[in-house]
């Protein structure tokens, strides 16, 4: 069963059906991309063209007070988190402080 996960913190949005996933791919995806971007305007547009109300509600709940949200889907659990490399501060060398 496909699962949706927020891209920023990998929290699970919820489980969706294959039909709901196909709807998202058909209306939001670019090429073979597994990442989607939504805001409240996009959610209203999706609802107007026949998106499942449960799917819209799930995305609205996850969006919460944020202006927009990037999310991804998988069929085998949450995606592997990205690693962020933070450069060292000038004048500091590696090793113990």
């Amino acid at each position: 069963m496909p699962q949706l996960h927020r891209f920023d913190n990998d929290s699970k949005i919820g489980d969706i059906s294959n039909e709901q996933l196909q709807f998202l791919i058909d209306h939001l995806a670019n090429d073979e991309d597994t990442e989607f971007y939504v805001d409240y305007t996009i959610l209203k547009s999706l609802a107007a063209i026949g998106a499942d109300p449960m799917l819209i509600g799930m995305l609205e709940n996850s969006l919460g007070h944020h202006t927009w949200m990037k999310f991804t889907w998988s069929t085998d659990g949450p995606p592997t988190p990205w690693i962020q490399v933070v450069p060292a501060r000038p004048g500091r060398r590696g090793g113990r402080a």
Side-chain angles (χ1 to χ4, degrees), residues 62-94:
S62 185
L63 184 57
H65 68 277
H66 299 282
T67 306
W68 60 274
M69 172 179 69
K70 190 173 181 182
F71 65 99
T72 188
W73 64 272
S74 67
T75 55
D76 56 357
T80 304
W82 288 63
I83 298 173
Q84 181 179 9
V85 178
V86 179
R89 290 182 278 187
R92 282 194 79 169
R93 299 182 65 122

Side-chain angles (χ1 to χ4, degrees), residues 28 35-40 42 46 67-71:
L28 296 178
E35 301 169 12
F36 304 113
Y37 162 90
V38 294
D39 58 23
Y40 281 108
I42 292 172
L46 292 175
T67 306
W68 60 274
M69 172 179 69
K70 190 173 181 182
F71 65 99

Side-chain angles (χ1 to χ4, degrees), residues 34-65:
T34 61
E35 301 169 12
F36 304 113
Y37 162 90
V38 294
D39 58 23
Y40 281 108
T41 303
I42 292 172
L43 290 178
K44 286 180 186 177
S45 297
L46 292 175
I49 59 173
D52 183 324
M54 296 293 282
L55 176 63
I56 296 298
M58 182 186 307
L59 293 172
E60 284 178 340
N61 286 340
S62 185
L63 184 57
H65 68 277

